[in-house]
């Protein structure tokens, strides 16, 4: 075959593309289990962060130490144990299966409930976890993160000084979710609201909507005195 011909070049390039594609698919398949495990460990670290447990080296051990059960909320607000695999995509779980996770934790002998939350900021997805005390109303801690918010502005939802503002806030007012974020300097209900990020108005609005929308899904549990089935 004439190695200088166009047909040779096309055939050679096609064969190389197929070989490279096969190798990439093989590597991706080989690493999938490791990738999934890393995502699981990162998710567990985020759940723990909402409980003020950070900088852990062994996420599995710390998770098992503090998280006593991964529960699913029933329509009547009671909980049953999740017997399936550990989930990491909670928005997808809700959309596809209607599964609402509640993580029941024990921190220094006190019960805490951790709820996944997710929404949209200015440039992309935002998400996090809200931990409530045993009264299912008082915030113990929160953790927020983002995909691509602006550094120094919207990205500050991941900063300790912003997340710390939620500690001790109340969640429900007259049975409705009132916990939220308002424009910086416009707090009218200090028991429920925190100041938004200066210069990060749209992201702050996204956090407010995320909290109200996601926590509203759990209202039957938050207002129900029965905890588990």
């Amino acid at each position: 075959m004439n190695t200088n011909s166009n047909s040779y070049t096309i055939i050679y390039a096609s064969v190389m593309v197929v070989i490279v594609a096969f190798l990439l698919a093989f590597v991706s398949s080989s690493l999938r289990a490791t990738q999934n495990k890393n995502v699981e460990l990162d998710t567990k670290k985020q759940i723990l962060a909402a409980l003020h447990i950070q900088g852990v080296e062994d996420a599995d051990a710390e998770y098992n130490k503090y998280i006593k059960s991964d529960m699913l909320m029933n329509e009547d607000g009671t909980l049953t144990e999740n017997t399936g695999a550990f989930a990491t995509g909670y928005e997808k779980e809700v959309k596809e299966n209607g599964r609402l996770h509640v993580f029941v934790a024990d921190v220094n002998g006190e019960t805490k409930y951790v709820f996944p939350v997710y929404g949209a900021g200015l440039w992309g997805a935002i998400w996090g976890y809200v931990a409530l005390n045993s009264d299912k109303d008082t915030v113990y801690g929160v953790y927020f993160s983002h995909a691509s918010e602006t550094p120094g502005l919207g990205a500050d939802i991941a900063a300790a000084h912003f997340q710390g503002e939620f500690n001790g806030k109340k969640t429900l007012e007259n049975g409705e979710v009132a916990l939220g974020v308002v424009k910086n300097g416009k707090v009218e209900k200090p028991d429920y609201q925190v100041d938004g990020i200066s210069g990060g108005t749209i992201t702050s609005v996204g956090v407010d909507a995320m909290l109200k929308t996601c926590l509203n899904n759990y209202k039957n549990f938050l207002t129900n005195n029965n905890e588990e089935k």
Side-chain angles (χ1 to χ4, degrees), residues 44 64 79 81 83 126 153 164 189 191 197:
K44 289 179 177 180
N64 292 331
L79 302 179
E81 188 171 2
T83 57
I126 57 176
L153 297 175
K189 298 179 179 180
D191 288 342
I197 299 166

Side-chain angles (χ1 to χ4, degrees), residues 12-225:
Y12 179 82
S14 299
V15 170
M16 290 303 296
V17 167
V18 171
I19 292 174
V20 170
F22 173 79
L23 290 174
L24 289 175
F26 175 77
V27 171
S28 176
S29 177
S30 300
L31 295 177
R32 185 170 295 118
T34 300
Q35 293 169 341
N36 290 341
K37 183 60 177 178
N38 288 338
V39 171
E40 179 180 321
L41 290 174
D42 186 58
T43 300
K44 289 179 177 180
K45 287 180 179 180
Q46 293 180 29
I47 293 171
L48 291 170
L51 296 166
H52 306 296
I53 302 164
Q54 298 177 317
V56 299
E57 294 184 3
D58 188 339
D60 272 330
E62 291 298 295
Y63 178 88
N64 292 331
K65 175 182 177 181
Y66 290 100
I67 306 300
K68 300 309 177 183
S69 51
D70 172 4
M71 309 294 284
L72 297 173
M73 191 189 82
N74 303 305
E75 289 186 7
D76 63 358
T78 57
L79 302 179
T80 53
E81 188 171 2
N82 173 33
T83 57
F86 181 83
T88 57
Y90 302 107
E91 184 175 10
K92 182 179 180 181
E93 288 255 306
V94 173
K95 288 182 178 179
E96 294 185 355
N97 306 306
R99 290 158 59 95
L100 292 165
H101 288 260
V102 181
F103 298 93
V104 183
D106 184 304
V107 180
N108 298 324
E110 297 180 355
T111 299
K112 313 293 180 186
Y113 299 103
V114 185
F115 308 86
V117 294
Y118 43 82
L122 174 59
W123 302 113
I126 57 176
W127 64 89
Y129 297 88
V130 176
L132 300 183
N133 289 326
S134 58
D135 61 2
K136 298 190 285 188
D137 187 35
T138 308
V139 176
Y140 178 70
V142 302
Y143 170 86
F144 301 131
S145 192
H146 61 90
S148 53
E149 298 307 292
T150 307
L153 297 175
D156 277 1
I157 65 170
H161 67 82
F162 176 71
Q163 297 177 13
E165 293 185 38
F166 288 85
N167 298 342
K169 299 296 183 183
K170 296 296 183 180
T171 305
L172 300 174
E173 182 181 27
N174 298 322
E176 300 297 327
V177 176
L179 178 67
V181 183
V182 298
K183 188 174 181 179
N184 191 275
K186 299 295 183 180
V187 171
E188 295 179 350
K189 298 179 179 180
D191 288 342
Y192 305 94
Q193 301 170 336
V194 304
D195 279 315
I197 299 166
S198 180
T201 301
I202 296 179
T203 308
S204 298
V205 170
V207 174
D208 181 71
M210 173 176 73
L211 291 171
K212 288 184 170 59
T213 299
C214 293
L215 292 179
N216 187 66
N217 291 335
Y218 293 96
K219 194 164 64 172
N220 286 346
F221 171 69
L222 298 177
T223 57
N224 192 336
N225 291 326

